[in-house]
């Protein structure tokens, strides 16, 4: 676990862009199982989250006509039970952070793992997200 003063600005990077911070397994379950599309961002303190994942999320959501009904985030290394519940829904993909999952009516329909983020260019991640929004939202 990290000190909250360290992660507060990192949380705010997504919450200020319209993402709801989920703190408990119950909140995660309720969000993912809701009707419509739900974008789940597994946030992290790592450099690829700062340089690529969070910027890509914000750009894709802001620039897309079609977008998920709900934007939520969990924080790896902090609310461990909430993160574990989100990752249960992301199976068969292994745990990774950062990562991004899109659910439609409670079913996982699109997944972006850490290796898709850290080894990729920002614009390709944005395009990936926007393509998923176009297809599923």
């Amino acid at each position: 676990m990290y000190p909250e003063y360290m992660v507060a600005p990192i949380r705010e990077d997504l919450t200020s862009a319209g993402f709801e911070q989920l703190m408990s397994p119950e909140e995660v379950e309720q969000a993912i199982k809701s009707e419509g599309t739900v974008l789940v961002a597994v946030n992290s303190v790592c450099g690829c989250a700062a340089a690529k994942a969070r910027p890509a999320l914000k750009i894709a959501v802001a620039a897309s006509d079609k977008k998920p009904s709900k934007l939520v985030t969990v924080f790896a290394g902090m609310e461990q039970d909430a993160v574990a519940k989100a990752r249960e829904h992301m199976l068969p993909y292994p745990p990774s952070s950062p990562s991004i999952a899109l659910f439609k009516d409670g079913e996982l329909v699109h997944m972006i793992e850490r290796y898709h983020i850290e080894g990729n260019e920002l614009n390709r991640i944005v395009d990936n997200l926007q393509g998923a929004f176009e297809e599923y939202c």
Side-chain angles (χ1 to χ4, degrees), residues 74-93:
V74 293
F75 205 109
M78 293 301 289
E79 295 76 36
Q80 295 174 347
D81 293 338
V83 173
K85 179 55 76 175
R87 287 178 171 160
E88 281 178 25
H89 289 282
M90 295 174 190
L91 291 172
Y93 296 96

PDB file of all heavy atoms in Angstrom, residues 74-93:
ATOM      1  N   VAL A  74     -10.186   1.508 -10.335  1.00  0.00           N
ATOM      2  CA  VAL A  74      -9.689   0.920  -9.091  1.00  0.00           C
ATOM      3  C   VAL A  74      -8.193   1.180  -9.076  1.00  0.00           C
ATOM      4  O   VAL A  74      -7.581   1.364 -10.131  1.00  0.00           O
ATOM      5  CB  VAL A  74      -9.998  -0.585  -8.971  1.00  0.00           C
ATOM      6  CG1 VAL A  74     -11.499  -0.824  -8.849  1.00  0.00           C
ATOM      7  CG2 VAL A  74      -9.425  -1.372 -10.138  1.00  0.00           C
ATOM      8  N   PHE A  75      -7.595   1.192  -7.888  1.00  0.00           N
ATOM      9  CA  PHE A  75      -6.186   1.561  -7.784  1.00  0.00           C
ATOM     10  C   PHE A  75      -5.365   0.385  -7.286  1.00  0.00           C
ATOM     11  O   PHE A  75      -5.477  -0.023  -6.139  1.00  0.00           O
ATOM     12  CB  PHE A  75      -6.026   2.753  -6.842  1.00  0.00           C
ATOM     13  CG  PHE A  75      -4.794   3.554  -7.121  1.00  0.00           C
ATOM     14  CD1 PHE A  75      -4.887   4.814  -7.686  1.00  0.00           C
ATOM     15  CD2 PHE A  75      -3.541   3.044  -6.843  1.00  0.00           C
ATOM     16  CE1 PHE A  75      -3.760   5.548  -7.957  1.00  0.00           C
ATOM     17  CE2 PHE A  75      -2.400   3.766  -7.115  1.00  0.00           C
ATOM     18  CZ  PHE A  75      -2.502   5.035  -7.676  1.00  0.00           C
ATOM     19  N   ALA A  76      -4.507  -0.137  -8.174  1.00  0.00           N
ATOM     20  CA  ALA A  76      -3.630  -1.252  -7.811  1.00  0.00           C
ATOM     21  C   ALA A  76      -2.677  -0.808  -6.704  1.00  0.00           C
ATOM     22  O   ALA A  76      -2.129   0.282  -6.744  1.00  0.00           O
ATOM     23  CB  ALA A  76      -2.837  -1.716  -9.027  1.00  0.00           C
ATOM     24  N   GLY A  77      -2.525  -1.662  -5.711  1.00  0.00           N
ATOM     25  CA  GLY A  77      -1.646  -1.354  -4.596  1.00  0.00           C
ATOM     26  C   GLY A  77      -2.329  -0.601  -3.483  1.00  0.00           C
ATOM     27  O   GLY A  77      -1.704  -0.294  -2.473  1.00  0.00           O
ATOM     28  N   MET A  78      -3.600  -0.326  -3.638  1.00  0.00           N
ATOM     29  CA  MET A  78      -4.341   0.400  -2.601  1.00  0.00           C
ATOM     30  C   MET A  78      -5.523  -0.455  -2.126  1.00  0.00           C
ATOM     31  O   MET A  78      -5.355  -1.276  -1.267  1.00  0.00           O
ATOM     32  CB  MET A  78      -4.779   1.770  -3.107  1.00  0.00           C
ATOM     33  CG  MET A  78      -3.617   2.719  -3.359  1.00  0.00           C
ATOM     34  SD  MET A  78      -2.600   3.051  -1.894  1.00  0.00           S
ATOM     35  CE  MET A  78      -3.691   4.068  -0.924  1.00  0.00           C
ATOM     36  N   GLU A  79      -6.675  -0.269  -2.717  1.00  0.00           N
ATOM     37  CA  GLU A  79      -7.873  -1.003  -2.290  1.00  0.00           C
ATOM     38  C   GLU A  79      -7.801  -2.413  -2.865  1.00  0.00           C
ATOM     39  O   GLU A  79      -8.401  -2.710  -3.896  1.00  0.00           O
ATOM     40  CB  GLU A  79      -9.135  -0.266  -2.742  1.00  0.00           C
ATOM     41  CG  GLU A  79      -9.329   1.080  -2.093  1.00  0.00           C
ATOM     42  CD  GLU A  79      -8.419   2.174  -2.645  1.00  0.00           C
ATOM     43  OE1 GLU A  79      -8.136   2.173  -3.846  1.00  0.00           O
ATOM     44  OE2 GLU A  79      -7.981   3.015  -1.849  1.00  0.00           O
ATOM     45  N   GLN A  80      -7.070  -3.258  -2.200  1.00  0.00           N
ATOM     46  CA  GLN A  80      -6.755  -4.578  -2.736  1.00  0.00           C
ATOM     47  C   GLN A  80      -7.990  -5.436  -2.990  1.00  0.00           C
ATOM     48  O   GLN A  80      -8.041  -6.168  -3.979  1.00  0.00           O
ATOM     49  CB  GLN A  80      -5.780  -5.295  -1.808  1.00  0.00           C
ATOM     50  CG  GLN A  80      -4.446  -4.593  -1.759  1.00  0.00           C
ATOM     51  CD  GLN A  80      -3.486  -5.169  -0.740  1.00  0.00           C
ATOM     52  OE1 GLN A  80      -3.868  -5.956   0.114  1.00  0.00           O
ATOM     53  NE2 GLN A  80      -2.233  -4.774  -0.823  1.00  0.00           N
ATOM     54  N   ASP A  81      -8.987  -5.368  -2.130  1.00  0.00           N
ATOM     55  CA  ASP A  81     -10.193  -6.179  -2.327  1.00  0.00           C
ATOM     56  C   ASP A  81     -10.982  -5.710  -3.542  1.00  0.00           C
ATOM     57  O   ASP A  81     -11.518  -6.524  -4.301  1.00  0.00           O
ATOM     58  CB  ASP A  81     -11.071  -6.167  -1.071  1.00  0.00           C
ATOM     59  CG  ASP A  81     -10.413  -6.866   0.110  1.00  0.00           C
ATOM     60  OD1 ASP A  81      -9.499  -7.699  -0.111  1.00  0.00           O
ATOM     61  OD2 ASP A  81     -10.813  -6.582   1.257  1.00  0.00           O
ATOM     62  N   ALA A  82     -11.058  -4.404  -3.742  1.00  0.00           N
ATOM     63  CA  ALA A  82     -11.764  -3.861  -4.905  1.00  0.00           C
ATOM     64  C   ALA A  82     -11.029  -4.247  -6.192  1.00  0.00           C
ATOM     65  O   ALA A  82     -11.655  -4.651  -7.175  1.00  0.00           O
ATOM     66  CB  ALA A  82     -11.887  -2.342  -4.796  1.00  0.00           C
ATOM     67  N   VAL A  83      -9.710  -4.149  -6.173  1.00  0.00           N
ATOM     68  CA  VAL A  83      -8.912  -4.520  -7.349  1.00  0.00           C
ATOM     69  C   VAL A  83      -9.062  -6.016  -7.636  1.00  0.00           C
ATOM     70  O   VAL A  83      -9.241  -6.425  -8.786  1.00  0.00           O
ATOM     71  CB  VAL A  83      -7.430  -4.132  -7.148  1.00  0.00           C
ATOM     72  CG1 VAL A  83      -6.572  -4.663  -8.291  1.00  0.00           C
ATOM     73  CG2 VAL A  83      -7.290  -2.616  -7.026  1.00  0.00           C
ATOM     74  N   ALA A  84      -9.028  -6.830  -6.589  1.00  0.00           N
ATOM     75  CA  ALA A  84      -9.184  -8.282  -6.769  1.00  0.00           C
ATOM     76  C   ALA A  84     -10.541  -8.613  -7.387  1.00  0.00           C
ATOM     77  O   ALA A  84     -10.638  -9.478  -8.267  1.00  0.00           O
ATOM     78  CB  ALA A  84      -9.011  -9.000  -5.432  1.00  0.00           C
ATOM     79  N   LYS A  85     -11.585  -7.935  -6.954  1.00  0.00           N
ATOM     80  CA  LYS A  85     -12.924  -8.177  -7.515  1.00  0.00           C
ATOM     81  C   LYS A  85     -12.959  -7.769  -8.987  1.00  0.00           C
ATOM     82  O   LYS A  85     -13.500  -8.505  -9.831  1.00  0.00           O
ATOM     83  CB  LYS A  85     -13.978  -7.413  -6.709  1.00  0.00           C
ATOM     84  CG  LYS A  85     -15.401  -7.575  -7.212  1.00  0.00           C
ATOM     85  CD  LYS A  85     -15.854  -9.015  -7.331  1.00  0.00           C
ATOM     86  CE  LYS A  85     -16.173  -9.621  -6.000  1.00  0.00           C
ATOM     87  NZ  LYS A  85     -16.722 -10.998  -6.145  1.00  0.00           N
ATOM     88  N   ALA A  86     -12.366  -6.632  -9.330  1.00  0.00           N
ATOM     89  CA  ALA A  86     -12.330  -6.216 -10.738  1.00  0.00           C
ATOM     90  C   ALA A  86     -11.575  -7.246 -11.573  1.00  0.00           C
ATOM     91  O   ALA A  86     -12.021  -7.621 -12.658  1.00  0.00           O
ATOM     92  CB  ALA A  86     -11.677  -4.841 -10.855  1.00  0.00           C
ATOM     93  N   ARG A  87     -10.469  -7.730 -11.042  1.00  0.00           N
ATOM     94  CA  ARG A  87      -9.658  -8.699 -11.789  1.00  0.00           C
ATOM     95  C   ARG A  87     -10.359 -10.046 -11.944  1.00  0.00           C
ATOM     96  O   ARG A  87     -10.135 -10.742 -12.935  1.00  0.00           O
ATOM     97  CB  ARG A  87      -8.295  -8.854 -11.116  1.00  0.00           C
ATOM     98  CG  ARG A  87      -7.414  -7.627 -11.352  1.00  0.00           C
ATOM     99  CD  ARG A  87      -6.087  -7.730 -10.658  1.00  0.00           C
ATOM    100  NE  ARG A  87      -5.213  -6.635 -11.089  1.00  0.00           N
ATOM    101  CZ  ARG A  87      -4.171  -6.229 -10.406  1.00  0.00           C
ATOM    102  NH1 ARG A  87      -3.842  -6.824  -9.260  1.00  0.00           N
ATOM    103  NH2 ARG A  87      -3.433  -5.240 -10.850  1.00  0.00           N
ATOM    104  N   GLU A  88     -11.217 -10.403 -11.005  1.00  0.00           N
ATOM    105  CA  GLU A  88     -12.028 -11.622 -11.167  1.00  0.00           C
ATOM    106  C   GLU A  88     -12.853 -11.533 -12.437  1.00  0.00           C
ATOM    107  O   GLU A  88     -13.006 -12.512 -13.168  1.00  0.00           O
ATOM    108  CB  GLU A  88     -12.990 -11.804  -9.982  1.00  0.00           C
ATOM    109  CG  GLU A  88     -12.397 -12.358  -8.740  1.00  0.00           C
ATOM    110  CD  GLU A  88     -13.440 -12.454  -7.620  1.00  0.00           C
ATOM    111  OE1 GLU A  88     -14.661 -12.556  -7.918  1.00  0.00           O
ATOM    112  OE2 GLU A  88     -13.027 -12.409  -6.458  1.00  0.00           O
ATOM    113  N   HIS A  89     -13.393 -10.357 -12.689  1.00  0.00           N
ATOM    114  CA  HIS A  89     -14.233 -10.150 -13.874  1.00  0.00           C
ATOM    115  C   HIS A  89     -13.411 -10.073 -15.154  1.00  0.00           C
ATOM    116  O   HIS A  89     -13.967 -10.162 -16.245  1.00  0.00           O
ATOM    117  CB  HIS A  89     -15.082  -8.887 -13.710  1.00  0.00           C
ATOM    118  CG  HIS A  89     -16.167  -9.037 -12.699  1.00  0.00           C
ATOM    119  ND1 HIS A  89     -17.349  -9.697 -12.956  1.00  0.00           N
ATOM    120  CD2 HIS A  89     -16.237  -8.633 -11.407  1.00  0.00           C
ATOM    121  CE1 HIS A  89     -18.114  -9.682 -11.882  1.00  0.00           C
ATOM    122  NE2 HIS A  89     -17.462  -9.046 -10.927  1.00  0.00           N
ATOM    123  N   MET A  90     -12.096  -9.868 -15.013  1.00  0.00           N
ATOM    124  CA  MET A  90     -11.221  -9.746 -16.184  1.00  0.00           C
ATOM    125  C   MET A  90     -10.588 -11.070 -16.599  1.00  0.00           C
ATOM    126  O   MET A  90      -9.829 -11.116 -17.563  1.00  0.00           O
ATOM    127  CB  MET A  90     -10.132  -8.707 -15.906  1.00  0.00           C
ATOM    128  CG  MET A  90     -10.669  -7.316 -15.718  1.00  0.00           C
ATOM    129  SD  MET A  90      -9.353  -6.174 -15.237  1.00  0.00           S
ATOM    130  CE  MET A  90     -10.317  -4.730 -14.809  1.00  0.00           C
ATOM    131  N   LEU A  91     -10.886 -12.137 -15.881  1.00  0.00           N
ATOM    132  CA  LEU A  91     -10.363 -13.447 -16.252  1.00  0.00           C
ATOM    133  C   LEU A  91     -10.857 -13.835 -17.639  1.00  0.00           C
ATOM    134  O   LEU A  91     -11.979 -13.471 -18.004  1.00  0.00           O
ATOM    135  CB  LEU A  91     -10.796 -14.499 -15.231  1.00  0.00           C
ATOM    136  CG  LEU A  91     -10.155 -14.370 -13.853  1.00  0.00           C
ATOM    137  CD1 LEU A  91     -10.806 -15.332 -12.869  1.00  0.00           C
ATOM    138  CD2 LEU A  91      -8.655 -14.608 -13.929  1.00  0.00           C
ATOM    139  N   PRO A  92     -10.084 -14.483 -18.449  1.00  0.00           N
ATOM    140  CA  PRO A  92      -8.877 -15.249 -18.173  1.00  0.00           C
ATOM    141  C   PRO A  92      -7.591 -14.426 -18.251  1.00  0.00           C
ATOM    142  O   PRO A  92      -6.505 -14.993 -18.200  1.00  0.00           O
ATOM    143  CB  PRO A  92      -8.894 -16.316 -19.255  1.00  0.00           C
ATOM    144  CG  PRO A  92      -9.473 -15.610 -20.430  1.00  0.00           C
ATOM    145  CD  PRO A  92     -10.519 -14.685 -19.837  1.00  0.00           C
ATOM    146  N   TYR A  93      -7.699 -13.103 -18.390  1.00  0.00           N
ATOM    147  CA  TYR A  93      -6.498 -12.282 -18.477  1.00  0.00           C
ATOM    148  C   TYR A  93      -5.809 -12.240 -17.115  1.00  0.00           C
ATOM    149  O   TYR A  93      -6.467 -12.107 -16.089  1.00  0.00           O
ATOM    150  CB  TYR A  93      -6.841 -10.862 -18.938  1.00  0.00           C
ATOM    151  CG  TYR A  93      -7.414 -10.855 -20.329  1.00  0.00           C
ATOM    152  CD1 TYR A  93      -8.789 -10.849 -20.532  1.00  0.00           C
ATOM    153  CD2 TYR A  93      -6.587 -10.872 -21.446  1.00  0.00           C
ATOM    154  CE1 TYR A  93      -9.319 -10.857 -21.807  1.00  0.00           C
ATOM    155  CE2 TYR A  93      -7.109 -10.876 -22.725  1.00  0.00           C
ATOM    156  CZ  TYR A  93      -8.479 -10.870 -22.898  1.00  0.00           C
ATOM    157  OH  TYR A  93      -8.990 -10.887 -24.159  1.00  0.00           O
TER     158      TYR A  93
END
